[in-house]
Structure formats: structure tokens, C-alpha cells
Amino acid sequence: MTEQLPLGSSYDNLHKRTAAADQLLDGAMAVEAFFANSLIAYTHAREADLLYTPEALVASGTWQKYEQRVAALARSNRNNDPFEAFLKKDRTQGWASVNTRQASRSALVRMAGQVIAEHAPVFWKEVLTLTKAGPARSSLIKQINGTVDAEAMARMRAAGETLSEAERNRLAEAVAFLVAMPPDPEHRALRSRQPKEDANPKKKPAPGIVALRALNRHENNKRKKHPTYCWRDHFWKTALTDDYVSAQRYAIIATLMLTGCRPVELSDRLGVTVELGGANGESTLTFAIKGAKTARELAPEIEGKGQALRSIEMICQSPEAIWLRDHIARSGSARLQISEKTTPRSPSGIWLSVAEQERRLTVSLGKLMTRLGARAFPKQRKNVTPYVFRHALAADMKSDESISDETIAACLGQQSTRTLRHYGGSNGGRKLRSVRSQQIIRVIASCPIRRQKQGLFYDRRPDLGAN
């Protein structure tokens, strides 16, 4: 709903005519065209928010990925301009795939919308202030009244200074991009024009899968002499001998190995809660994990994604599960919050966004796991990262015929079984099943897996039922 601006309204608090403003008045036609384009771009920016608001994207972790993608595009351009970098790739057909292009486009549309929402109202006020009363000014006000909502109108009224040259340039780049690349939130253009040959059967697997395969080969070779050898047991044993790892970090490593959670889910914004319990005379650990990649379903054709909360209950059989059980017991409480604080400032004192804080936490945990992996497997050329354990758990569960795809998806924090093809492989050819999939006795997720109506997917506790 728009708020009407009186045709005779004026802004007495903007009297200072800057050099940039004089240049604007000198090129009246250019200003008029840019003014009209800025209103078109603002409309596009609002369209981009129809399905998911920026707040929803931040909560799901998508906004953070958008920021990282835009930063990568900016680094690839000599002028540090991500919009120019995108358009250049478009002209030269430089995209690895249509999906990569669409992901970059979605990120830039959101970032451009943010710039326009912040700077366009200031620009509109500046133009109105510098335009003399008359038909031209009345025309501008009518354009604003037919396009701008109450929030932008309030920002325009509150603006007290003109845009700097850098801010004006950013606004011009964002407007030009959104006019050239209108939002496509449902990705309809991608679906309609994606060629069949774009599916690359020889696409390289994810680094985590490559490292997992290398570690499985290493394990198979070791088992020729030591039939019970397990690379994860060896990794954990090596980690326990490291003098630079704290008890808190050991709990984080154990959680990554046992649940396959994402590193960002261990940030203090989300965190994992583990509770010590018992079932049929055996100790159990129940992990409650707040999901990092979530979005609610807006319509039947706009599916939700991710699990806002998932619970994984297991008996303590693997070495890291036994260690975590004893660690919680020694604390004197049956419940332990496992998370790591993020750093709000960089070493140079610059304030960091939440997305950047969590990215740095993910990098920090990745470096820790890689260092421990290099100690445990000095001859391995592939890095051990937190996602190796996520892929390993998925592979273990796939090899267990008693565990359904819906259960695996719920355990990994997914809302659809379609994403399972991106995780691990099958360990069906291995001689021994992993204790880490067999020790899981129950998985509960907050949202049903696609085509399922209940939130409880898996329970093989013999006597407790599905409570």
C-alpha cells in the first residue's frame, strides 16, 4: 500500500547544493531517466521479497551464502564491481553451468535490492528538492506516489544528507542491474531454458566425498592386516593426544562425527544441545540440533527446505560417543550445550556481519579438523573437513537397509530425499557395517520429509515405542 506525497510538499532541511547535485541538474534528461529507472528497480526489489524476506533468508543461512557469492564476484573484477563481473560473464558465456549463473543472479538481485532500499529514497528526496515547483516536479511526485510504499516514503522524509559520490555510483550500478536482470524468485526462466546437455555426467564430486573415498580406501588397505581398523576411530584416538585441543573442542569434534551436523550449526546463534539418558540398561545421548538452512513452505509449488529442529538419539558405542557420555557425566549435569562463540570484530577492529562471523567459525573448525587429519593420516593427500564426517554418516546410513531415505534426510536436516544424492555413497560393498549408523536408535524432525505426514521417522528402540 502506497502513501501519498502532497504535490506541494517541500524539504526545507536540504538547502545545500553539492557539486554532484549541480551536475545532476545540468543533465536534467539523464536525471529524469535515472529517476524513472530507480522506481522500476525499486519495484523489482519489492518483487524479489514476495516469496522470502531478507529476514527469512538470514534465518535460513541463504543470505550469508549470497554475501559470499557476491564477494567472490567482486574479487574477480578489477573495479571490485560484482554487477559488472556478472554481466561480463554473461556476455562471454563464462558460467560453469546455468545453476551457477542463477545462483549468482539471485544473490546480486538481493544485494542490489538492499542498496536500492537504502539509497534510492535519499536520491528521490534530493531530486525533488532540487527541482523547482511546476509540472516537472508534480510529475516526479506522481511517479513516486504510484510506486513507493510507506516504508520508503518514511526513509525519504527522514533523509538529511545527499548521497556521496561512492553511494551514488553504487545506486547507479544496482539500478542498472535490476532493470537489466529483473528478479525471478521461482527460477522459472532457469527451468524453461535449461538445456538437457547442461547436466554433466562427469561433474566432479564434492571435496568431502573425494576425501571420504580416499579414507575408505585407506581403511580397506589397513583391514588386510588389522580387520577391525576404522579410520574414524583412529582419527578420534589421534585427536585425544593433541595438546592444543580443549574439552569444548573435543565435544564439538565428537558432535560433528556422531551427528554429521553442519559446522555453522555449532555457532552460538544456533548450537547443539545433548542430553544424557538411558534406554534398556544402556546410556544414550540425545542431540537437539537447530538447523542452519531452513525456509518455510509458502505454497504447494514453493516447497520449504531444511529442518528448524531435529533430534538424534543414540546409544553410546563408538569411542567419541563414550567420551562425550563420560564428559557430560563428569560435568554434574545431564545436559550440555555445545557451541562456539563467534568473534564480532576482525583482528583489525572492523565489525563483522553475522554471516561473516559464522563463515570464519566454519573456516576455523575446518582448519582444526584438517590439522588433526594430517596428524592422523600423514600420507593422505585429501583434507579431512567437518563435511567428510557428514558424508561418512550419510554413507553409513545408506548402507543400512533398515534405515529409510526419509530417516537419512531427517538426520541430515533436510526436508526432501532428493538431496541425498549429494551425500556420501553406499558402503554396501564393505565387509563391516559402521557402528555409527547402528548406534542411532531414533530420529525426530520438526517438519515431515516430502510426502510424509508425520514428524517421527525412525525408532528402533525395542520397548519404548514412538513417544
Side-chain angles (χ1 to χ4, degrees):
M1 183 172 181
T2 60
E3 180 179 342
Q4 298 297 308
L5 188 69
L7 293 178
S9 61
S10 62
Y11 298 99
D12 297 331
N13 59 334
L14 275 182
H15 293 299
K16 197 178 280 187
R17 293 168 65 97
T18 63
D22 288 333
Q23 291 175 8
L24 273 177
L25 288 180
D26 291 340
M29 291 182 64
V31 173
E32 185 177 350
F34 183 52
F35 188 91
N37 282 339
S38 68
L39 291 172
I40 294 172
Y42 182 78
T43 301
H44 288 331
R46 290 173 61 192
E47 290 172 359
D49 293 342
L50 290 178
L51 292 181
Y52 298 109
T53 64
E55 292 77 16
L57 293 177
V58 169
S60 68
T62 304
W63 191 272
Q64 293 88 323
K65 288 188 175 293
Y66 282 169
E67 289 179 332
Q68 294 168 18
R69 190 171 288 274
V70 170
L73 282 169
R75 288 194 297 269
S76 69
N77 181 263
R78 64 180 181 178
N79 298 323
N80 203 38
D81 182 355
F83 305 109
E84 182 182 330
F86 178 94
L87 295 174
K88 182 179 179 180
K89 276 196 171 188
D90 243 22
R91 289 193 301 269
T92 59
Q93 302 281 318
W95 298 107
S97 69
V98 291
N99 288 318
T100 303
R101 178 187 181 276
Q102 181 64 31
S104 298
R105 171 179 167 169
S106 298
L108 286 173
V109 164
R110 288 297 190 160
M111 296 303 130
Q114 189 179 43
V115 171
I116 290 167
E118 183 178 347
H119 295 324
V122 182
F123 168 71
W124 299 331
K125 182 173 182 178
E126 182 180 345
V127 172
L128 287 175
T129 302
L130 298 174
T131 303
K132 294 181 180 179
R137 192 169 186 277
S138 297
S139 175
L140 295 177
I141 292 178
K142 286 180 180 179
Q143 292 180 56
I144 289 177
N145 285 337
T147 306
V148 176
D149 58 8
E151 183 180 353
M153 198 75 75
R155 288 185 180 182
M156 187 168 62
R157 287 199 172 99
E161 298 180 0
T162 59
L163 296 175
S164 66
E165 184 177 356
E167 291 171 336
R168 191 182 305 279
N169 290 337
R170 286 182 63 203
L171 177 61
E173 293 164 357
V175 167
F177 182 82
L178 268 188
V179 170
M181 296 285 170
D184 181 22
E186 297 181 21
H187 298 182
R188 289 175 178 171
L190 174 68
R191 296 191 187 103
S192 63
R193 73 186 193 91
Q194 185 170 1
K196 293 181 180 178
E197 60 269 18
D198 216 65
N200 184 5
K202 296 183 179 179
K203 184 178 179 181
K204 292 183 178 180
I209 296 179
V210 175
L212 176 60
R213 290 173 180 172
L215 289 167
N216 284 341
R217 288 194 297 269
H218 161 77
E219 180 176 291
N220 290 335
N221 290 333
K222 283 286 188 179
R223 282 185 174 176
K224 294 176 182 178
K225 292 185 177 180
H226 308 284
T228 60
Y229 178 84
C230 173
W231 70 264
R232 277 173 282 185
D233 290 353
H234 181 67
F235 176 89
W236 177 252
K237 182 178 178 181
T238 303
L240 288 178
T241 64
D242 193 283
D243 296 331
Y244 299 98
V245 180
S246 64
Q248 178 191 10
R249 281 282 176 105
Y250 281 132
I252 288 175
I253 295 170
T255 301
L256 290 168
M257 295 178 67
L258 292 168
T259 67
C261 67
R262 305 175 181 93
V264 71
E265 290 171 340
L266 291 162
S267 65
D268 52 359
R269 179 177 68 90
L270 299 171
V272 176
T273 302
V274 57
E275 188 168 350
L276 183 62
N280 299 312
E282 294 191 81
S283 299
T284 61
L285 296 173
T286 303
F287 295 86
I289 305 170
K290 295 180 181 178
K293 295 182 179 181
T294 59
R296 63 187 179 87
E297 181 178 345
L298 298 180
E301 65 275 12
I302 309 298
E303 298 174 340
K305 66 176 184 178
Q307 298 291 345
L309 182 65
R310 62 189 188 273
S311 173
I312 305 173
E313 184 179 359
M314 62 185 68
I315 55 178
C316 302
Q317 294 180 339
S318 64
E320 67 275 14
I322 294 172
W323 181 91
L324 187 57
R325 176 199 66 190
D326 295 342
H327 175 67
I328 296 174
R330 287 192 299 269
S331 70
S333 173
R335 179 175 296 183
L336 179 66
Q337 178 71 20
I338 301 176
S339 62
E340 184 151 331
K341 289 186 177 180
T342 54
T343 306
R345 292 192 182 212
S346 68
S348 59
I350 299 175
W351 285 101
L352 303 174
S353 66
V354 173
E356 179 61 17
Q357 292 177 41
E358 294 182 348
R359 185 194 70 81
R360 294 189 179 205
L361 172 62
T362 298
V363 170
S364 175
L365 293 179
K367 288 181 177 179
L368 170 66
M369 302 297 271
T370 297
R371 180 176 68 79
L372 295 175
R375 284 193 60 203
F377 315 108
K379 294 183 180 181
Q380 291 294 316
R381 299 175 62 183
K382 306 300 180 183
N383 290 337
V384 177
T385 66
Y387 278 89
V388 172
F389 295 97
R390 185 169 171 82
H391 287 290
L393 181 64
D396 290 342
M397 297 182 78
K398 284 182 178 181
S399 69
D400 191 332
E401 296 178 354
S402 67
I403 302 179
S404 66
D405 286 348
E406 288 79 9
T407 299
I408 302 172
C411 190
L412 295 177
Q414 308 290 350
Q415 241 185 77
S416 171
T417 58
R418 289 177 299 182
T419 55
L420 295 185
R421 64 181 183 273
H422 302 302
Y423 288 96
S426 175
N427 291 340
R430 297 173 64 184
K431 294 181 180 179
L432 295 176
R433 285 185 177 180
S434 172
V435 68
R436 288 168 179 82
S437 64
Q438 293 181 316
Q439 69 185 0
I440 296 176
I441 59 175
R442 187 169 64 157
V443 177
I444 300 176
S446 57
C447 296
I449 303 300
R450 210 79 74 224
R451 297 182 304 276
Q452 298 291 317
K453 294 185 178 180
Q454 296 179 350
L456 177 61
F457 303 101
Y458 181 65
D459 192 342
R460 61 177 176 194
R461 300 178 302 169
D463 296 324
L464 297 184
N467 295 324

